[in-house]
Amino acid sequence: MNLVGDEDRIPVILDVDTGIDDAMAIWYALESPRLDVRGITSCFGNGGIEVTTQNTLLAVELSGRSVPVYQGAAHPLASGVVDTAEAFHGANGLGEAVLPPVRGHAEPEPAAEYLASALAGGDTTLVATARLTNLALALALHPELARRIPRVVVMGGAAFCPGNVTPVAEANIWGDPEAADLVFQSGIPVTMVGLDVTHQACLTDRHLRTGGPDPERAYADVLATATEFYMRAYNPGTPAGDRTCPLHDPLAVAVAEDPTIVTTKPYSVRVALQDPVTRGMTVVDARGHAPAPAHPVEVALTVDAPRFVHEFCRRLGYNLVP
Ligand code: RIB
Ligand code: CA
């Protein structure tokens, strides 16, 4: 990847529910030569909002960078029920890694208000790797925002593959389907980086055997422990060959940085809301005779996984396998 001057960097805001792969995504973004991370907003999801906010602050501190963090939604739009993902991220959200104390604090401004003012400038891409609640709340406060946001890259959904929470629903959409449908229907240009591609973009035991991540990185211990937890969660029992785990959230950051890492196609995407069996499903209209979508969503269909995973390992300090 080419180095660019600071003025040419792509301004982005990350909206996260940190979470193991969110922490990886934060480090991937903060090590990017092409992205300018202006702020990070937290949302409930992989843990409660206090946990995900503290983990976000910690990820930033361990990166050695200074980026403001804004605390966001504590529950989905339509209910007070928060369904966390302890099995995949641990009770502390970071795979039970021993966490150093967090020194900083979230900014006083709530995430939705920060998003509304920061995105109104019209030049900043939002990379959302959590429930879409914060953005939905910002749109509720300022509906005109939909016309100002150049792009939202969403890690979420499952277009032509099974879900990971229910047979048809992916976690970030399942966790707040009303928010997701509102965003998909808002007219904001959305790129959907769903399980269709994130399940192709995996870290494997081959990468972990290299001895990385680089112990010089302040986040190395947390990353190593969290990755092993995540690997075990994705590969229960005694797997026969190398284990693999999907790099969901880092891939969304990679797409914001370099859209050519995936191929996409525009579709109408609705989120199923009513029926308990299909709730949270991303319903993609792939009929040959489908009417032109009013609000097309660019759905990622294929990914150059070797290129992405190689860059992920290089950037986070893993020794590369030749
Ligand atoms: O389905 C994967 C998504 O759910 C990722 O964003 C992960 O962090 C979890 O929130
Ligand atoms: Ca996430």
Side-chain angles (χ1 to χ4, degrees):
M1 294 198 185
N2 295 331
L3 284 174
V4 293
D6 278 353
E7 69 284 358
D8 296 326
R9 287 179 182 239
I10 305 163
V12 295
I13 293 172
L14 310 180
D15 187 43
V16 297
D17 60 334
T18 319
I20 294 169
D21 59 328
D22 299 82
M24 292 170 167
I26 291 169
W27 294 323
Y28 188 81
L30 293 178
E31 300 278 355
S32 169
R34 297 197 60 213
L35 297 178
D36 172 14
V37 182
R38 299 260 170 99
I40 308 183
T41 50
S42 64
C43 187
F44 73 92
N46 288 325
I49 188 63
E50 301 295 337
V51 167
T52 59
T53 304
Q54 288 301 301
N55 288 348
T56 304
L57 287 162
L58 181 65
V60 173
E61 287 175 15
L62 292 179
S63 78
R65 313 292 163 99
S66 172
V67 180
V69 172
Y70 300 82
Q71 180 161 307
H75 57 80
L77 291 186
S79 88
V81 180
V82 174
D83 195 9
T84 60
E86 255 183 54
F88 285 88
H89 297 269
N92 72 354
L94 289 172
E96 312 304 352
V98 177
L99 303 179
V102 175
R103 289 188 298 271
H105 298 279
E107 303 295 316
E109 196 178 7
E113 284 169 29
Y114 165 69
L115 288 179
S117 58
L119 295 173
D123 65 343
T124 304
T125 297
L126 180 67
V127 185
T129 64
R131 284 67 172 147
L132 289 163
T133 320
N134 289 334
L135 180 56
L137 290 170
L139 288 168
L141 285 173
H142 302 278
E144 73 285 357
L145 195 59
R147 292 192 300 278
R148 303 288 305 152
I149 303 177
R151 181 149 304 274
V152 177
V153 180
V154 172
M155 189 286 122
F160 304 111
C161 65
N164 60 359
V165 178
T166 78
V168 293
E170 181 279 330
N172 286 339
I173 308 298
W174 164 256
D176 195 344
E178 280 76 15
D181 197 47
L182 198 147
V183 169
F184 287 164
Q185 295 307 307
S186 67
I188 299 172
V190 171
T191 301
M192 182 177 123
V193 179
L195 301 181
D196 306 73
V197 284
T198 65
H199 277 168
Q200 313 304 319
C202 292
L203 201 64
T204 75
D205 273 327
R206 209 164 60 90
H207 304 108
L208 302 189
R209 273 197 294 271
T210 62
D214 175 2
E216 293 297 307
R217 313 272 173 120
Y219 53 74
D221 286 348
V222 173
L223 175 59
T225 307
T227 304
E228 181 56 28
F229 185 99
Y230 193 60
M231 207 44 124
R232 284 201 193 136
Y234 269 100
N235 303 268
T238 318
D242 278 356
R243 301 169 304 168
T244 66
C245 63
L247 297 169
H248 301 289
D249 295 348
L251 182 61
V253 173
V255 170
E257 177 180 291
D258 177 4
T260 69
I261 206 89
V262 292
T263 62
T264 65
K265 211 174 153 187
Y267 289 106
S268 161
V269 180
R270 294 302 309 257
V271 179
L273 300 176
Q274 304 301 335
D275 185 291
V277 177
T278 56
R279 185 167 164 79
M281 178 182 185
T282 39
V283 180
V284 176
D285 193 344
R287 294 172 297 170
H289 61 281
H295 302 299
V297 170
E298 289 292 333
V299 177
L301 298 176
T302 67
V303 55
D304 186 344
R307 181 155 70 97
F308 162 64
V309 177
H310 184 277
E311 179 59 16
F312 175 86
C313 289
R314 194 198 64 73
R315 209 175 278 184
L316 269 69
Y318 286 91
N319 294 314
L320 290 171
V321 181

